[in-house]
Amino acid sequence: SASVRPFGSYATGLCLPSSDVDLAVFGTGFESKVQQVAGLRQIEKALHRAGWRAEEVEVIGSAKVPIVKYVDGPSGLSVDLCLEQQDGIRSSALATKAARQFPPFRPLVLLLKRYLSSRGLNDTFTGGVGSFLLQLLVISSLQQPPLHPPALSPAACSRENLGRHLLHFFELYGLRLNTTSAG
């Protein structure tokens, strides 16, 4: 019997109102990419026959992880569904762990996701920064805390200050990162 598990931004609480819902189906027996695409085509047909409206149904079989995308008609939610893929579940676990370890992680990710989205820079398909990459960048930034300015004592800088972390993020990746040596 198959089971469905959510992952991604809805599962981790890192979603924007415009975010899609990511679902992984396990126990299908479709292990190879060819089998998964065939299984997704079966799901596509079932969605077209469903008693509720599934709109914009599309199988993307050429992607690294094949998915069926659709929009739930009544709610307007976009849904991405994949088969037998553990990577999304593991990524969600990493985000959940980072949110526990670094209190500024969640608000920084949400703010930066909105910032990138408002500028059309959040779609990896067009060269933008996707959620997982953004989460890794934020984790790295939080692991390299900013130095305290000479006018402030270390105690004053130890308090959580989201604005300070945001400026540090932009300084780290906008000014200090040497893309020639970092790759």
Side-chain angles (χ1 to χ4, degrees):
S1 68
S3 64
V4 179
R5 291 185 57 192
F7 67 95
S9 60
Y10 266 84
T12 60
L14 295 171
C15 59
L16 298 177
S18 59
S19 295
D20 62 3
V21 175
D22 298 302
L23 300 173
V25 181
F26 297 98
T28 64
F30 299 133
E31 298 299 326
S32 74
K33 186 173 181 175
V34 171
Q35 291 173 324
Q36 289 172 8
V37 172
L40 292 170
R41 297 228 183 270
Q42 291 174 13
I43 292 170
E44 176 185 34
K45 290 175 187 171
L47 287 169
H48 285 298
R49 293 188 312 264
W52 47 273
R53 287 190 343 264
E55 302 167 352
E56 302 174 39
V57 181
E58 175 185 13
V59 172
I60 303 177
S62 60
K64 179 183 172 197
V65 175
I67 60 171
V68 62
K69 298 176 76 73
Y70 67 94
V71 175
D72 174 67
S75 68
L77 279 175
S78 295
V79 178
D80 289 355
L81 188 137
C82 63
L83 303 176
E84 307 297 341
Q85 296 292 326
Q86 288 288 340
D87 289 346
I89 305 297
R90 285 192 279 271
S91 299
S92 293
L94 175 68
T96 302
K97 180 179 177 184
R100 279 195 309 269
Q101 186 174 356
F102 302 108
F105 174 78
R106 184 177 185 277
L108 275 176
V109 168
L110 289 171
L111 181 69
L112 290 165
K113 280 179 78 168
R114 180 67 187 114
Y115 175 81
L116 292 168
S117 175
S118 70
R119 286 155 179 76
L121 299 172
N122 61 326
D123 187 358
T124 56
F125 187 71
T126 58
V129 177
S131 292
F132 184 63
L133 174 57
L134 180 61
Q135 291 169 22
L136 294 178
L137 291 170
V138 169
I139 290 169
S140 179
S141 171
L142 293 170
Q143 289 173 333
Q144 305 172 56
L147 301 172
H148 58 83
L152 295 176
S153 70
C157 289
S158 68
R159 293 189 301 266
E160 290 301 323
N161 182 326
L162 188 57
R164 193 162 164 268
H165 286 293
L166 180 63
L167 289 175
H168 173 65
F169 179 90
F170 284 129
E171 178 186 332
L172 179 63
Y173 295 113
L175 297 175
R176 288 195 294 161
L177 180 67
N178 183 342
T179 56
T180 304
S181 65

